[in-house]
Amino acid sequence: MTIRLLLVDDQQLVRTGFRMIVQDEPDIEVVGEAGDGRAGIDEARRLRPDVIVMDIRMPVLDGIEATRRIVRDRAVPDARVLVLTTFDADENVIEALRAGASGFLLKDVTPSDFVAAIRTVAAGDALLAPTVTRRLLDRFADRLPPVNAERNAALRDLTQREVEVLKLIARGRSNREIAEELVLAEPTVKTHVSHVLDKLDLRDRAQAVVLAYEAGLVRPGAVDPEG
């Protein structure tokens, strides 16, 4: 199946560069471009892409709000968003993950990593490892809001085992590592992870990490005895 790609960035040169990177990939097709968030929403509704590469800082409407609206838009039910960031300078990537982005890319991403990222997200996985998300949240710990009571209350729908699994997701554990730590079969862990995402209405593990921090289940800078 061909992955339908939409490029949303206010710099024509950036969009052209990304288009050139994927032009020889048989399973990826750039179906459209947009120069601001508002146009990106319109193009997403018109073209129904599988993956949207979204810059954060754009005129008319920024990439965070555009991501939030696209993720909630029933007219674009399957689109997954990759936000573009400079990482070291842009803490707004946290807000993009909260808005529903499936991960982020550095603007100086290598061509091979760019292609791999598109395929990863199109397959339904979060682009970034949870450990990367955790380091990002820890980095900007002083900018995170206090524990969100509503988000914390959502955890009541989880079983005790599912809460344990969520904590380990937030600490960056893979399914295999969770299985070893909880002495479970890996398929059982996958089932628990699926239940956690479904009950909390999350799209992927990256959002699960963010929610765990917002709910106070884990806190930035906390010592992790398992490393």
Side-chain angles (χ1 to χ4, degrees), residues 17-35:
F18 285 152
R19 180 183 283 273
M20 292 177 64
I21 288 173
V22 301
Q23 66 182 0
D24 293 327
E25 301 297 330
D27 60 333
I28 302 174
E29 176 189 5
V30 176
V31 294
E33 299 182 16

Side-chain angles (χ1 to χ4, degrees), residues 46-198:
R46 183 175 72 87
L47 299 168
R48 297 198 175 191
D50 300 304
V51 177
I52 302 170
V53 174
M54 178 84 70
D55 190 17
I56 288 182
R57 298 177 179 177
M58 293 184 292
V60 184
L61 188 71
D62 66 69
I64 294 173
E65 183 58 28
T67 296
R68 183 176 293 111
R69 296 185 190 183
I70 287 171
V71 168
R72 295 177 179 176
D73 195 336
R74 294 183 179 179
V76 195
D78 301 318
R80 291 187 170 259
V81 180
L82 283 171
V83 295
L84 290 170
T85 177
T86 54
F87 189 76
D88 285 338
D90 202 347
E91 66 271 22
N92 288 328
V93 70
I94 297 174
E95 291 303 322
L97 293 173
R98 284 198 185 108
S102 293
F104 60 82
L105 287 170
L106 304 184
K107 280 214 169 183
D108 60 354
V109 64
T110 65
S112 60
D113 285 346
F114 180 68
V115 172
I118 293 169
R119 290 176 178 146
T120 296
V121 171
D125 296 323
L127 169 66
L128 64 164
T131 49
V132 176
T133 313
R134 183 182 179 189
R135 286 201 300 272
L136 180 68
L137 290 169
D138 283 348
R139 178 184 177 87
F140 299 110
D142 60 334
R143 297 180 177 88
L144 288 174
V147 173
N148 185 306
E150 181 179 349
R151 300 295 256 175
N152 184 271
L155 301 181
R156 296 172 187 167
D157 293 332
L158 303 182
T159 66
Q160 182 177 350
R161 180 63 82 189
E162 288 165 353
V163 171
E164 292 174 344
V165 169
L166 177 57
K167 283 183 178 179
L168 292 173
I169 291 173
R171 289 172 179 160
R173 303 294 195 270
S174 66
N175 285 347
R176 179 182 57 79
E177 291 168 334
I178 294 173
E180 291 175 354
E181 189 156 341
L182 298 181
V183 194
L184 297 171
E186 192 166 342
T188 301
V189 171
K190 291 180 180 179
T191 298
H192 285 315
V193 172
S194 178
H195 288 168
V196 168
L197 298 181
D198 288 343

